[in-house]
Amino acid sequence: MKNIFYKSVVFASSVTLLLSCKPNLTVPTPSKGSIDASRYVAIGNSITSGFADGALYYDGQMVSFPNLVAQQLKLVGGGSFAQPLMPVSSIGVGSTGNAPFKLDYSTDCLGVTSLAPVPKAAQGDVSAFSTNIYAAQGPFNNMGVPGAKAITVAVSGYGNPANGSGNYNPFFTRMAKNPTSSSMLSDAMLLNPTFFSLFIGNNDVLAYATNGGASDFITPAANFDASINAIVDSLTKNGAKGVIGNVPDITALPYFTTVPWNGLTLTRQGQVDTLNLAIWSNGTATGRYNFKVGNNPFLIKDPSAPLGQRLIKEGEFVLLNVPLDNIKCHGLGSIQAIPNQYVLTATEIANIQTAVSAYNASIRAVADNPKNNLAFVDVNAFLNQTKTGFVYNGITLNAAFVTGGAFSLDGIHLTPMGNALLANEFIKAINVKYSSTIQQVDATKYHSIIFP
Amino acid sequence: MIKKLITISILSLPALLNAQGFQVNLQGQTQQGMGGAGTGLVQDAAAVFFNPGGVSFLKENTINAGATATIANGEFLDAASSRVSRTDNPVSTPFAAYGVFGSLDTTKYFSRFKFGVGIYTPFGSTAKWEDGWTGRFALTSLKLQSIFFQPTVSWKVCDKLGIGAGFVLGYGNVELKEDLPLYSNGTYGTADLKGTALGYGFNAGVYYKPCKKLSIGLTYRSQVNMNLNSGTATITVPQSVASNFPSGPFSSHIPLPQVLTLGFGYQVNSKLALALDINYIGWKAYDTLAFDYKNNTATFPDTKLPRDYKNTFAFRLGGQYKITEKFTARVGVALSLTPIKPGYVTPEVPDADKVNLTCGVGYKISNKFRVDASYTFENLKRTDNNTALQLNGTYKTYLSAPGLSLTYKF
């Protein structure tokens, strides 16, 4: 009996021991491979800056993709990563002085209430443009400047207000060491970077594209190529390694793809007749626009068309910033042609796509040039995946506006989760090129659109 | 159209709810101590489950009831981020109770019939992941229980052969939760699917004892289709999109697979006995998990999740040794091959080919009472990239299952 008692005690103790047993998976130790992450500098445009929902604001900056990359680089010897942060309390500011969008209830001219992006305030925090923060917070590792193009990176005095409105970049004014003489590149070099990311070129077409080709211009491919080479030459002259991203096709961006080309829905024959009559009264030849009950193409302005207007064709874009109330209640797109600034025609799209192809060829060549030997991120391919859906840890993100989860409320910049996934693309490319094992970001920790 | 343009329409939920059956092999303490083998070696009333054909070979009328505490600790290492998430599983206690009755007057032919009844839990799963874990949008918790009730008749055809069969009435309840990637005020939406199910089937067996030392068992437990007809889907999402994701009834169907078992028992001498079971499990029936929601919207369609399980084998080997007249010690090992193909592992049951180590003790308190205890340990590790979820990483689970049962003979 004593023996049995003894055995029972042994049995019970071993059971207790085994119950408290928890698995302990070995977590791989990240390694830096052949990079020196101690001084990482990111050069780029609004996407690099953390711009989102149409504005630059603190929360967006905190989830800028280079900030997320830097956070992972810290695990392999990376240093601090200074960003030109907007004040936490600031509402933020966009390129027209606007406040960021939020998703909220909005009542249109027909009295229909639905969810739509609405500005958080009538005006953004324009005081940020006149407050230089370099002395307090600089020098900056994040040299992402909203609006910057490849051809402006090395322009000195890029933030000089004396150049006059439209000829300087106020986002750079606030962060430049010396707004009158600094270039983005010269300020970036102040940190003597050991590692860099360069993701620029979107605005070399976007400034043109987002205005419907009505203003600004497409940077000529030769100028783009020269700029990229010059930037990389400067960055690598002290032996720094880096990663470079290419330019996404605009057809992946909801800003261009959300409003359907044939979104003019006519429900009654009376509407159709009235419209055809109205067109007639505009002096257009009979039957040219044969509106019918159902979905119809919008009427757009096109200086090259007879009488300067025509119906939009499939594959052409009406931009996200088109005044929807005017479409709904004031005959825009039907009685009145949609102005050029809200439309990208097939010719304009072709011009943009030709330029993007040329830019991407330059970027690839610069990356692969043995002199530079940079890690290369195919951002274009990455964002194109969102057209069909990008699955990640049980979530499907796609390029649909608001509902897709990848793009923020401006239809061009990414959501926090989108930024985290972009950061992962950069990290993957670095790991491939430099034999490092830097861990990716767990993107499920970052949200997408905020719903009311 | 313009209204449509700006009215929010959320894309269909990425992977609303993943669930799967999960076999539990905790139906008798004696057998648990011996790696789960008991089809070819009939010792007690748990034969109602293990081999209805062997029930007629039981010499006494008995009642046997027991429970097993299962404590599973799991981890997931996300391959890309190296983030480790842990489970926060509650302890679950599958139970089993059996009664076997019949005439003990062996002079009567009628004593060749035995009647049995069993209540046991052949399938179940509990997984609760810590808050905010990497796979939260695939699953946050699953609780799946099944309770089978089985009245049984067993007939000892001759001294060497017994046959038996039981009707199985299955009751199940399931609750499945996941987070939805719809964010508002610092929290995500959630989906909670809850319901009860009924199904029926049978359990039949043959027990053959060609000589004193050897016994052979063959059993077939049919597939039980658990039909969940009136579940409740509770969808909590930001208020502005609530009408797109209506809560309401749903129906589903989970097949609990058929199992064919061949078992051997070998009484080496008066003290030592060995048992071996080979299970062939029809998991192929678990092809798709579908949820049919009553209140569909354009953004909330029915869900169909590919499972694509394959049929699989398990091998269970155990031995017991009578140390004294009162005290018996048992030990066993089981090898279970996973039914889940690469690319289909989900966080509810991150199953893998696995080895169970078991041990047990039995103590005869008196001629009427005995107590049996067992302990099972399981170590699971599986690395997989789930194709549908793109959830890529390594799961590791330690499962401890101590159990106790009491037997009364009359």
Side-chain angles (χ1 to χ4, degrees):
Chain A
M1 190 69 210
K2 194 182 167 193
N3 189 24
I4 287 165
F5 176 74
Y6 174 72
K7 280 178 180 166
S8 308
V9 169
V10 171
F11 181 74
S13 330
S14 352
V15 166
T16 314
L17 201 70
L18 282 165
L19 296 191
S20 54
C21 197
K22 295 202 172 181
N24 203 356
L25 285 163
T26 312
V27 179
T29 312
S31 64
K32 66 188 172 103
S34 58
I35 67 165
D36 173 358
S38 57
R39 294 186 303 279
Y40 163 46
V41 167
I43 291 186
N45 51 40
S46 47
I47 298 178
T48 296
S49 75
F51 193 97
D53 302 320
L56 189 70
Y57 61 98
Y58 179 86
D59 287 347
Q61 291 177 292
M62 292 309 288
V63 293
S64 71
F65 88 82
N67 198 37
L68 300 180
V69 169
Q71 167 191 310
Q72 301 309 104
L73 288 177
K74 276 180 191 160
L75 304 172
V76 293
S80 61
F81 189 77
Q83 299 199 93
L85 294 171
M86 296 286 286
V88 182
S89 58
S90 166
I91 193 165
V93 64
S95 54
T96 59
N98 58 291
F101 291 115
K102 64 174 176 178
L103 192 64
D104 208 346
Y105 298 98
S106 166
T107 304
D108 67 10
C109 56
L110 298 166
V112 177
T113 300
S114 62
L115 282 182
V118 297
K120 278 185 177 170
Q123 199 185 24
D125 179 12
V126 289
S127 70
F129 289 149
S130 53
T131 314
N132 187 284
I133 56 170
Y134 183 88
Q137 297 178 41
F140 297 110
N141 298 74
N142 189 337
M143 292 303 299
V145 179
K149 299 179 178 184
I151 51 168
T152 64
V153 170
V155 171
S156 68
Y158 181 53
N160 187 359
N163 294 346
S165 180
N167 295 317
Y168 77 105
N169 187 326
F171 288 102
F172 189 54
T173 312
R174 61 181 286 269
M175 62 184 277
K177 184 182 183 197
N178 186 340
T180 57
S181 62
S182 286
S183 72
M184 285 168 59
L185 189 58
S186 70
D187 275 12
M189 294 308 291
L190 291 172
L191 282 164
N192 190 21
T194 57
F195 190 79
F196 66 88
S197 63
L198 178 63
F199 180 36
I200 195 112
N202 311 47
N203 289 324
D204 292 82
V205 289
L206 273 180
Y208 170 85
T210 55
N211 290 307
S215 60
D216 217 297
F217 59 94
I218 296 176
T219 302
N223 299 26
F224 182 89
D225 187 66
S227 297
I228 286 287
N229 275 286
I231 298 164
V232 172
D233 283 348
S234 284
L235 287 167
T236 54
K237 73 178 175 205
N238 295 331
K241 291 172 173 164
V243 55
I244 188 165
N246 69 2
V247 179
D249 182 359
I250 60 163
T251 59
L253 306 177
Y255 187 84
F256 300 100
T257 56
T258 301
V259 182
W261 66 281
N262 62 346
L264 178 64
T265 305
L266 303 175
T267 50
R268 287 177 294 109
Q269 189 58 42
Q271 279 180 311
V272 172
D273 294 343
T274 312
L275 213 48
N276 283 334
L277 196 63
I279 298 304
W280 168 253
S281 70
N282 275 359
T284 313
T286 309
R288 186 175 295 280
Y289 311 123
N290 195 8
F291 287 108
K292 58 188 190 320
V293 171
N295 285 349
N296 292 273
F298 284 116
L299 184 69
I300 61 166
K301 288 215 162 98
D302 181 353
S304 64
L307 300 162
Q309 61 185 26
R310 64 175 172 87
L311 294 186
I312 195 168
K313 290 180 231 140
E314 187 169 7
E316 297 184 318
F317 300 142
V318 177
L319 308 190
L320 190 58
N321 63 342
V322 70
L324 288 175
D325 269 356
N326 288 355
I327 290 181
K328 286 182 237 185
C329 302
H330 304 294
L332 186 65
S334 48
I335 296 164
Q336 295 176 324
I338 300 176
N340 188 11
Q341 72 194 88
Y342 301 118
V343 176
L344 279 184
T345 62
T347 314
E348 290 165 336
I349 293 168
N351 291 343
I352 290 163
Q353 291 185 326
T354 303
V356 168
S357 296
Y359 298 171
N360 286 348
S362 288
I363 289 169
R364 185 79 224 211
V366 168
D368 290 346
N369 186 333
K371 178 169 70 74
N372 306 321
N373 198 23
L374 302 179
F376 169 74
V377 185
D378 196 345
V379 181
N380 185 25
F382 167 65
L383 288 184
N384 275 333
Q385 280 181 62
T386 64
K387 285 187 198 170
T388 50
F390 184 90
V391 185
Y392 175 84
N393 285 12
I395 303 176
T396 306
L397 292 156
N398 66 32
F401 186 52
V402 178
T403 61
F407 292 93
S408 74
L409 295 172
D410 58 32
I412 290 175
H413 301 94
L414 300 171
T415 58
M417 188 180 282
N419 274 318
L421 293 172
L422 179 63
N424 286 346
E425 294 300 310
F426 275 78
I427 292 169
K428 282 190 243 175
I430 295 167
N431 287 341
V432 167
K433 174 58 83 178
Y434 297 113
S435 309
S436 50
T437 55
I438 300 157
Q439 292 156 352
Q440 293 173 43
V441 173
D442 180 354
T444 63
K445 288 181 174 176
Y446 301 90
H447 64 80
S448 345
I449 298 289
I450 300 174
F451 288 91
Chain B
M1 96 83 210
I2 302 300
K3 179 166 175 264
K4 188 175 156 210
L5 173 70
I6 51 169
T7 303
I8 298 312
S9 58
I10 314 302
L11 76 158
S12 54
L13 285 178
L16 187 68
L17 300 173
N18 312 272
Q20 73 184 37
F22 182 66
Q23 196 170 8
V24 172
N25 294 293
L26 305 168
Q27 281 85 28
Q29 297 302 320
T30 324
Q31 293 78 7
Q32 280 165 241
M34 298 169 68
T39 304
L41 185 72
V42 165
Q43 318 201 64
D44 60 19
V48 168
F49 170 79
F50 283 95
N51 189 346
V55 171
S56 59
F57 276 68
L58 292 173
K59 292 191 173 60
E60 292 136 329
N61 288 335
T62 66
I63 292 173
N64 168 300
T68 306
T70 56
I71 299 128
N73 290 309
E75 272 193 352
F76 176 72
L77 174 70
D78 182 43
S81 70
S82 292
R83 179 179 169 200
V84 174
S85 306
R86 293 187 173 78
T87 57
D88 187 14
N89 291 331
V91 175
S92 63
T93 50
F95 62 90
Y98 306 97
V100 170
F101 320 91
S103 166
L104 296 175
D105 181 355
T106 51
T107 61
K108 299 271 165 60
Y109 186 79
F110 192 62
S111 71
R112 286 179 174 271
F113 286 92
K114 290 270 185 192
F115 304 93
V117 65
I119 299 175
Y120 53 90
T121 53
F123 297 90
S125 178
T126 303
K128 183 180 186 305
W129 289 87
E130 66 186 0
D131 287 348
W133 86 286
T134 307
R136 64 194 294 183
F137 301 109
L139 178 97
T140 50
S141 75
L142 167 71
K143 201 170 72 184
L144 175 69
Q145 288 177 321
S146 68
I147 299 170
F148 279 17
F149 173 73
Q150 183 196 320
T152 303
V153 180
S154 184
W155 176 35
K156 196 171 184 179
V157 181
C158 62
D159 286 349
K160 291 185 175 178
L161 183 70
I163 59 173
F167 169 78
V168 166
L169 179 67
Y171 164 85
N173 69 65
V174 62
E175 181 168 20
L176 229 152
K177 296 183 189 178
E178 71 173 31
D179 285 348
L180 304 175
L182 293 164
Y183 181 82
S184 183
N185 292 325
T187 58
Y188 284 95
T190 55
D192 182 337
L193 266 71
K194 208 173 175 175
T196 58
L198 285 177
Y200 55 88
F202 65 91
N203 181 2
V206 180
Y207 186 69
Y208 181 56
K209 201 164 164 62
C211 58
K212 209 177 170 192
K213 292 199 166 185
L214 181 70
S215 49
I216 303 166
L218 182 69
T219 65
Y220 176 73
R221 295 198 291 275
S222 74
Q223 179 169 316
V224 176
N225 290 313
M226 299 298 283
N227 293 311
L228 198 160
N229 293 323
S230 54
T232 308
T234 308
I235 314 289
T236 311
V237 291
Q239 193 251 323
S240 59
V241 290
S243 62
N244 301 72
F245 298 93
S247 294
F250 76 96
S251 61
S252 184
H253 154 89
I254 300 171
L256 300 177
Q258 55 187 347
V259 182
L260 181 69
T261 305
L262 177 64
F264 300 92
Y266 191 70
Q267 191 75 41
V268 180
N269 54 42
S270 63
K271 289 182 184 289
L272 179 66
L274 301 174
L276 170 70
D277 273 17
I278 299 164
N279 301 135
Y280 183 61
I281 308 152
W283 274 118
K284 198 170 194 298
Y286 196 31
D287 182 64
T288 305
L289 178 62
F291 291 97
D292 180 357
Y293 307 107
K294 193 183 171 201
N295 304 331
N296 289 125
T297 68
T299 54
F300 189 56
D302 294 338
T303 337
K304 279 202 171 100
L305 303 163
R307 286 294 176 261
D308 203 20
Y309 275 31
K310 60 181 182 189
N311 292 340
T312 186
F313 281 97
F315 305 90
R316 309 175 187 285
L317 179 67
Q320 76 173 4
Y321 190 77
K322 245 183 195 178
I323 297 168
T324 66
E325 184 50 37
K326 290 188 170 228
F327 193 78
T328 306
R330 304 184 182 99
V331 65
V333 60
L335 168 67
S336 310
L337 303 175
T338 182
I340 308 177
K341 295 175 185 172
Y344 288 90
V345 178
T346 52
E348 310 89 51
V349 185
D351 195 34
D353 293 342
K354 65 199 173 194
V355 173
N356 286 4
L357 297 174
T358 76
C359 60
V361 288
Y363 184 69
K364 187 175 172 186
I365 300 166
S366 69
N367 281 335
K368 286 198 176 301
F369 285 100
R370 67 174 287 122
V371 61
D372 291 281
S374 77
Y375 177 74
T376 301
F377 181 75
E378 189 172 293
N379 177 359
L380 268 178
K381 191 175 172 185
R382 181 98 186 241
T383 299
D384 193 49
N385 184 9
N386 184 291
T387 313
L389 300 171
Q390 288 297 306
L391 185 61
N392 183 8
T394 302
Y395 298 91
K396 192 170 165 73
T397 310
Y398 284 169
L399 184 134
S400 276
L404 193 73
S405 74
L406 192 66
T407 302
Y408 175 67
K409 298 177 182 177
F410 58 94

